Amino acid sequence: MKIVVLTGAGISAESGVPTFRDADGLWEGHSIEEVATPEGFESQPKLVQEFYDARREHLVGVQPNAAHIALAGLEEQLPDDLLVVTQNIDDLHERAGSRNVIHMHGELNSAWCRACDRRTHWTRTLVDFPPCPGCGATELRPDVVWFGEIPYQMDRILAAVAEADLFVSVGTSGAVYPAAGFVQQALRYGAKTLELNLDPSEGSVWFHESRLGPASVLVPSWVDDVLASQHL
Ligand code: BV8
Ligand code: ZN
């Protein structure tokens, strides 16, 4: 059984990573246009670097939760059949042990050089525009996908969604495209669709089943169901 799991900020909420739209969400105090668009970076580079530097620093103090850990455990049992596609730029899936992970919106712990196109694992700050380890240019930006930019690995993602027998969405409001459109594609290719979310999302109508509650509870119990059904 081929499974694609799409995750959003809600899966990392219980680890202490703020979501986007919740009351004290990331967008509070910052307009999307200001901090998450190429235009915003052109006009206020230091503000944007500081926004991502703060999130990168905050990442050090948080840990994967039971939802991340359960998905990593499922991958161990179904190594060739489970793909996690995440909209999150945190590294909690990997720190929980997941390997088959696509960061369609990029990663906080990566810097991208606009001069030589090199991507470098990066855990420090970028606000002082340090030189690129490859070419020395001071053209490093956060390796994240901003609004108006094309998400990463779309071909691999769409191929996996077309192959999926089961499409599961965890902790996402379904407000940002193209991620919010994957469930409709999965349905079109005949997949069963399941939503695990604290609240109903903008895409709830597209799911055969929606289970409402915290990811740290819903994901482990769903994983137990899958393993039981696979007699694993
Ligand atoms: C593109 C990286 C062309 C940076 C991000 C008009 C209509 C339709 C689309 C558009 C439109 N105008 C413009 C667009 C396109 C635009 C878009 O969708 N805009 C929206 C605002 C309308 N999209 C783009 O620009 C994308 N690029 O379209 O290129 C293209 C198209 C197709 C194919 C090729 C090319 C690029 C978008 C990527 C932007 N970058 N992140 C950063 O992180 O700073 S988006 C960012 O916001 C996240 O990555 C994520 O995608 C989104 C936030 O959503 P969620 O993760 O879902 O978080 P949210 O807070 O909203 O919700 C949390 C959910 O969790 C809630 O439902 C809550 O109930 C639940 N929850 C909370 N706690 C828990 C929980 N669930 C379980 N347990 C809990 N404990
Ligand atoms: Zn460079």
Side-chain angles (χ1 to χ4, degrees):
M1 174 168 68
K2 291 283 184 190
I3 305 174
V4 172
V5 178
L6 174 69
T7 66
I11 199 171
S12 295
E14 295 163 84
S15 294
V17 180
T19 64
F20 289 73
R21 279 170 185 70
D22 289 351
D24 56 355
L26 277 166
W27 298 142
E28 290 311 302
H30 297 292
S31 74
I32 288 181
E33 286 68 31
E34 241 186 326
V35 293
T37 63
E39 300 76 21
F41 188 62
E42 285 314 315
S43 58
Q44 304 184 87
K46 277 197 171 299
L47 175 84
V48 174
Q49 296 283 34
E50 279 160 359
F51 176 67
Y52 289 98
D53 285 354
R55 292 168 67 184
R56 193 175 301 110
E57 200 170 336
H58 179 72
L59 208 45
V60 177
V62 300
Q63 300 301 325
N65 63 58
H68 300 104
I69 293 162
L71 288 179
L74 183 61
E75 183 188 305
E76 240 169 71
Q77 301 295 328
L78 302 174
D80 311 323
D81 298 336
L82 177 69
L83 174 67
V84 172
V85 176
T86 187
Q87 300 166 78
N88 301 342
I89 61 177
D90 66 51
D91 62 348
L92 296 179
H93 282 300
E94 288 84 356
R95 281 161 56 190
S98 286
R99 290 292 160 270
N100 300 347
V101 181
I102 295 178
H103 284 268
M104 71 179 292
H105 293 162
E107 299 176 67
L108 266 174
N109 289 342
S110 179
W112 180 19
C113 179
R114 299 185 298 168
C116 72
D117 199 30
R118 173 190 170 132
R119 285 175 164 84
T120 308
H121 181 70
W122 198 273
T123 55
R124 292 169 283 126
T125 60
L126 287 172
V127 68
D128 305 322
F129 285 87
C132 164
C135 70
T138 55
E139 290 289 341
L140 294 178
R141 59 162 271 184
D143 184 14
V144 298
V145 177
W146 285 324
F147 287 91
E149 295 184 324
I150 298 178
Y152 295 157
Q153 305 193 53
M154 282 299 291
D155 46 0
R156 263 191 74 199
I157 296 170
L158 293 176
V161 167
E163 292 285 304
D165 304 297
L166 177 57
F167 178 87
V168 183
S169 174
V170 180
T172 185
S173 58
V176 172
Y177 287 77
F182 293 159
V183 60
Q184 294 161 57
Q185 271 139 355
L187 271 176
R188 205 168 298 130
Y189 289 100
K192 194 168 165 314
T193 58
L194 170 66
E195 179 178 47
L196 307 176
N197 217 54
L198 197 60
D199 322 289
S201 69
E202 294 185 21
S204 289
V205 291
W206 303 105
F207 291 91
H208 292 112
E209 184 187 355
S210 287
R211 299 178 191 172
L212 300 184
S216 65
V217 173
L218 293 181
V219 177
S221 71
W222 167 67
V223 167
D224 291 347
D225 298 351
V226 172
L227 295 178
S229 70
Q230 302 285 306
H231 312 297
L232 290 170

